[in-house]
Amino acid sequence: MKISLTTLAMSALLFSSAAWPDRIVIVHGAFQNAEAWSAVATLLKAKGHDVAVVDLPGRDAKGDLSKVNLAAYRDAARAVIDAKTEPVFLVGHSFGGFTISNVAEADAAMVKKLIYVAAYVPKTGESMQTLSAMDKNNKFNQQNFVLAPDYSYAEVLEADRGLIFANDGTPEVQAKTTKMLLREPLGPIAEPVTLSAVFVAVPKAYVRTAKDNAISSTLQDMMIERAKIQQVISLDTGHSPFITSPEKSAEAILAAIAN
């Protein structure tokens, strides 16, 4: 089920009332932290929803990176979800798709729906590294995906950050996005997931980003099709719509919740 922008806006209006507060937990993607989602979180809270954004460990390659893995990401998200005491709508961006998938596998009863935003939807045995290698249409290359000398973290070449993460934004928004990007622990990127029928059974929606230079729309479509995700909301944006188009991002999440 694909939703047009007109339908999206109408749905957001219908379900913006504080009479229907929903618990929404958001997991950011690689090279970012919770701050990247602050504008969307503020918009959703203004509509009466209970919103929390998870800050994953190891941001900017700080702390003991040997302890940072997919299980640590999952547990950080579960700690936020458990504090809600009731099932949540779990949103994941980019690499955050791995985390929300792992949460659903571990604790499906606490997840009303998984909402992937320009995110990886993995299957058993896949890692971010293997899925990214399948993507022949993104703008990452050996020069702009920069590895630490000890291979403990990766970062994106500063000159290409705007192109990859905010190509639909103004020069000012691209500059802001460039400054916000962080170093990413490398270990979890190569770590495969193990998912079962428990994960498969959890309801899912996908917010597709048509101009994405980090996870191409071609790869997004492949993952949507093989995961049999019926609810697809398309945005004419790049990889970080929560920064370049926060209002549209909030509307997309509300539409995913409403259906």
Side-chain angles (χ1 to χ4, degrees):
M1 176 179 63
K2 290 192 176 181
I3 302 176
S4 68
L5 286 177
T6 300
T7 304
L8 177 64
M10 290 177 64
S11 179
L13 287 172
L14 287 171
F15 289 87
S16 64
S17 172
W20 295 282
D22 290 298
R23 291 169 176 80
I24 303 168
V25 174
I26 301 169
V27 181
H28 63 78
F31 307 108
Q32 294 177 326
N33 60 12
E35 181 186 358
W37 280 85
S38 59
V40 170
T42 297
L43 289 167
L44 293 173
K45 288 176 182 178
K47 294 180 182 295
H49 299 284
D50 180 350
V51 184
V53 186
V54 179
D55 240 333
L56 296 178
R59 296 304 89 195
D60 216 16
K62 293 179 180 178
D64 185 357
L65 298 188
S66 67
K67 296 180 179 179
V68 179
N69 54 27
L70 290 183
Y73 289 173
R74 178 201 64 205
D75 293 346
R78 288 187 72 183
V80 174
I81 294 166
D82 289 346
K84 300 297 182 185
T85 70
E86 293 183 17
V88 304
F89 290 94
L90 186 55
V91 180
H93 172 248
S94 195
F95 191 25
F98 276 80
T99 297
I100 67 172
S101 300
N102 278 330
V103 170
E105 175 70 23
D107 196 4
M110 284 299 292
V111 180
K112 285 185 177 181
K113 182 183 283 187
L114 296 172
I115 303 173
Y116 295 87
V117 178
Y120 292 108
V121 187
K123 64 179 183 179
T124 290
E126 289 181 337
S127 64
M128 176 183 161
Q129 180 177 329
T130 58
L131 268 177
S132 180
M134 295 169 60
D135 194 350
K136 306 306 180 184
N137 297 299
N138 65 28
K139 298 297 184 183
F140 280 111
N141 56 49
Q142 292 183 342
Q143 286 71 46
N144 60 33
F145 190 82
V146 183
L147 300 178
D150 63 356
Y151 297 100
S152 62
Y153 66 83
E155 60 185 322
V156 181
L157 186 70
E158 186 169 337
D160 284 0
R161 292 178 182 181
L163 169 69
I164 296 172
F165 281 81
N167 54 302
D168 59 311
T170 64
E172 292 76 18
V173 169
Q174 289 192 27
K176 174 185 175 181
T177 305
T178 294
K179 292 179 180 179
M180 292 177 69
L181 292 193
L182 306 169
R183 293 172 173 174
E184 178 75 13
L186 198 58
I189 290 175
E191 188 177 349
V193 295
T194 300
L195 303 168
S196 71
V198 173
F199 159 74
V200 172
V202 176
K204 300 174 182 66
Y206 199 101
V207 179
R208 178 182 181 274
T209 44
K211 296 178 178 177
D212 203 311
N213 283 337
I215 304 177
S216 71
S217 58
T218 303
L219 183 64
Q220 290 181 45
D221 289 341
M222 182 277 286
M223 294 185 292
I224 290 166
E225 181 177 2
R226 74 176 187 182
K228 297 180 172 60
I229 299 175
Q230 297 299 310
Q231 187 183 11
V232 181
I233 301 161
S234 290
L235 297 180
D236 193 31
T237 69
H239 192 58
S240 303
F242 43 90
I243 297 175
T244 61
S245 299
E247 294 83 3
K248 290 182 180 179
S249 298
E251 289 172 0
I253 291 170
L254 290 175
I257 287 171
N259 292 277

